[in-house]
Amino acid sequence: MEIRTVDALVSVGDRYVGRAPAFEVEPAWWAEVEAITRHLDALLGVRTLVLRLVHADEAVIGRGGRVVYHVQALEEPRPDVLDITPLPAWESIVAPHPLRSTWAEVDGPSRMIEWARGILGPRDAVQVKTWNLSCLIRFPGAWAKATGRFCGVDADVIQHVSRYDETLVPDVLGQSPDNRWSLLAHAPGIDCWEPDRDTIDNVVRRWVAVQAALAAETGELAAPSVLPHDLFADVTRLLPRVDLTADEVADLDRLIARLPDIVDELDSAGLPVTLVHGDFHPGNWRSDGSTRRIVDWADAFVGHPAIDIKRLQDFLPEERREHPAEVWSQAWRRESRGPSRCGRCGR
């Protein structure tokens, strides 16, 4: 398995107390931090939380290589295990930044943990993931999640979905809209990375039924809008800000020229603008054999529902992609004749 080499810059509050000896962890994904805090808790003799990634090797993106994190120790660590050589860049590392996520600030994850314990009671907390999109904390039987300003708020989106199919999503235990925090019940079972036909049929049909029902309520959703008719303006506005090769620019110019026809073709299908999951691959489905739920709603947005079926197909072997497309098409044809009577089965 691929690994990453971790350098931890440790602080108590915002006070720098030293650099931990470099160590290797699995998995290699930069966002996965559970193994980091487990190692540092044992090394330093105190609980730790990862605030943010400070630096990573430029040769790799997202996984592997040498990665430097700012880690907060919740108490004074053992004095003999850190390199306490002053770090000239420290003030710039802890200096406030208007675009920094709240969980990447000093005491950010601690505040979320205490909020969740106020609802759950005194339960152990394990930081699982921290990156630019979210911070994820695991509790026995529950998950606390914080999302960025450009993402959806899981609890808000889930509550809209659950009005039409309450067993398709995890239960919401609490939320703090101002902080963009969600507290969700654990979805039992396993991730459906290799879904069978019954699972695909069940999840796709039920999700289409919910999407059809929510199409009339898009104005009530606290989720970003990514509309096909805005795509041309969005791409042309962003293009000058991206560093591209001449060949890449030429490819984009050809795509931009085709966008109006592509949008017209989408319109001709007659599908509504509605809630889109945004990351509808089977790894975001959970099943215990009797229930199937969709998790990880931070990428949800208001847009064209074809994006979800394309995301699902991209995660399946080519020889298995036709079946979910047929199920999805049949489900939308059924919805075009009238809403489903049963959100749980999509029939």
Side-chain angles (χ1 to χ4, degrees):
M1 179 180 289
E2 190 177 358
I3 60 175
R4 64 195 139 134
T5 301
V6 172
D7 273 349
L9 307 178
V10 182
S11 71
V12 175
D14 62 0
R15 174 173 56 87
Y16 181 63
V17 294
R19 182 192 295 263
F23 57 99
E24 295 181 343
V25 295
E26 299 174 354
W29 294 106
W30 298 346
E32 302 288 341
V33 298
E34 183 174 353
I36 295 175
T37 57
R38 184 189 308 120
H39 174 91
L40 291 173
D41 289 357
L43 177 72
L44 303 180
V46 296
R47 294 296 301 274
T48 60
L49 293 165
V50 175
L51 300 189
R52 69 183 183 94
L53 183 150
V54 176
H55 173 79
D57 285 346
E58 296 180 359
V60 292
I61 299 176
R63 59 184 297 155
R66 175 179 169 272
V67 187
V68 181
Y69 296 93
H70 176 191
V71 175
Q72 183 177 359
L74 302 187
E75 300 176 67
E76 293 292 334
R78 291 173 182 156
D80 57 341
V81 295
L82 296 174
D83 178 356
I84 61 173
T85 303
L87 191 67
W90 180 249
E91 292 302 320
S92 65
I93 291 173
V94 294
H97 192 287
L99 299 181
R100 183 165 298 151
S101 301
T102 56
W103 60 85
E105 299 170 346
V106 171
D107 294 329
S110 297
R111 289 194 296 268
M112 183 167 63
I113 290 171
E114 290 309 306
W115 166 77
R117 284 175 173 162
I119 299 170
L120 298 171
R123 300 188 190 182
D124 289 339
V126 177
Q127 186 184 26
V128 174
K129 181 177 287 188
T130 293
W131 58 334
N132 60 323
L133 299 182
S134 64
C135 178
L136 193 62
I137 309 288
R138 185 179 67 241
F139 296 86
W143 296 82
K145 185 175 183 179
T147 51
R149 287 163 288 186
F150 51 89
C151 295
V153 178
D154 287 63
D156 178 81
V157 175
I158 287 170
Q159 286 178 327
H160 285 280
V161 175
S162 66
R163 287 192 292 109
Y164 295 101
D165 190 342
E166 62 183 9
T167 65
L168 188 60
V169 286
D171 293 333
V172 174
L173 305 178
Q175 65 174 308
S176 175
D178 290 343
N179 292 305
R180 308 184 66 82
W181 293 342
S182 302
L183 185 62
L184 309 174
H186 177 68
I190 61 173
D191 298 338
C192 301
W193 285 109
E194 297 182 2
D196 57 24
R197 290 173 70 93
D198 287 344
T199 296
I200 291 173
D201 291 356
N202 180 277
V203 175
V204 171
R205 288 170 178 163
R206 292 166 65 196
W207 176 224
V208 167
V210 172
Q211 287 182 297
L214 285 173
E217 306 175 14
T218 55
E220 302 173 17
L221 299 170
S225 291
V226 184
L227 305 179
H229 285 276
D230 295 335
L231 189 57
F232 182 89
D234 290 343
V235 172
T236 53
R237 185 180 68 253
L238 291 173
L239 187 56
R241 299 164 58 182
V242 181
D243 185 16
L244 300 173
T245 66
D247 288 344
E248 290 170 334
V249 170
D251 288 343
L252 266 177
D253 285 341
R254 285 190 287 271
L255 174 60
I256 291 170
R258 293 178 53 223
L259 279 178
D261 290 338
I262 293 173
V263 172
D264 287 345
E265 186 175 355
L266 284 173
D267 283 346
S268 69
L271 296 180
V273 166
T274 186
L275 180 67
V276 178
H277 181 275
D279 199 14
F280 192 64
H281 64 73
N284 279 333
W285 308 353
R286 298 273 297 174
S287 175
D288 63 359
S290 59
T291 62
R292 299 179 177 98
R293 301 177 191 266
I294 306 172
V295 299
D296 194 3
W297 291 86
D299 290 327
F301 62 91
V302 174
H304 197 284
I307 291 174
D308 278 343
I309 189 61
K310 179 65 167 61
R311 185 67 166 157
L312 170 57
Q313 287 182 300
D314 287 345
F315 270 79
L316 296 175
E318 188 170 355
E319 65 274 11
R320 297 188 59 201
R321 293 175 183 175
E322 184 176 349
H323 172 68
E326 289 180 358
V327 174
W328 182 83
S329 298
Q330 291 170 1
W332 274 112
R333 290 191 188 99
R334 186 181 304 112
E335 294 302 329
S336 69
R337 297 193 294 268
S340 299
R341 290 172 292 179
C342 176
R344 295 188 182 186
C345 64
R347 297 175 181 172

